[in-house]
Amino acid sequence: MKKENIYKFLYIVAALLFVGFAIAFGVDAYKYNTGGYLGSAPLYVYALVDAVEYLLPSFAFFIAGLICKKKFAKK
């Protein structure tokens, strides 16, 4: 892989993590509404956990992609 294209890979990883968050939170919300998590924490706690698990690394990969794109930009 060329150095100039590393940022594309980082963007793809960031997008996949974002999709993973959407799917994981969707499953948690569905289970929460059907009583699967009866007596458990509120739904926003599950959203917070999923955000830390998926969105935080996604944001880090996105920022790394921006940095790599600027660093290896053709002059």
Side-chain angles (χ1 to χ4, degrees):
M1 178 181 285
K2 294 181 183 179
K3 288 182 182 179
E4 294 84 18
N5 293 331
I6 291 175
Y7 74 94
K8 292 177 185 177
F9 175 73
L10 293 172
Y11 285 160
I12 290 170
V13 171
L16 288 175
L17 284 168
F18 185 79
V19 170
F21 167 76
I23 292 170
F25 183 67
V27 168
D28 286 342
Y30 175 76
K31 285 184 179 179
Y32 189 82
N33 287 334
T34 59
Y37 291 153
L38 189 62
S40 193
L43 185 60
Y44 69 85
V45 173
Y46 293 106
L48 208 91
V49 168
D50 285 340
V52 169
E53 190 174 340
Y54 292 102
L55 291 182
L56 195 61
S58 175
F59 184 68
F61 276 106
F62 184 76
I63 296 298
L66 286 175
I67 292 170
C68 285
K69 185 175 182 179
K70 288 182 181 182
K71 182 177 180 181
F72 296 121
K74 294 181 181 179
K75 297 177 182 175

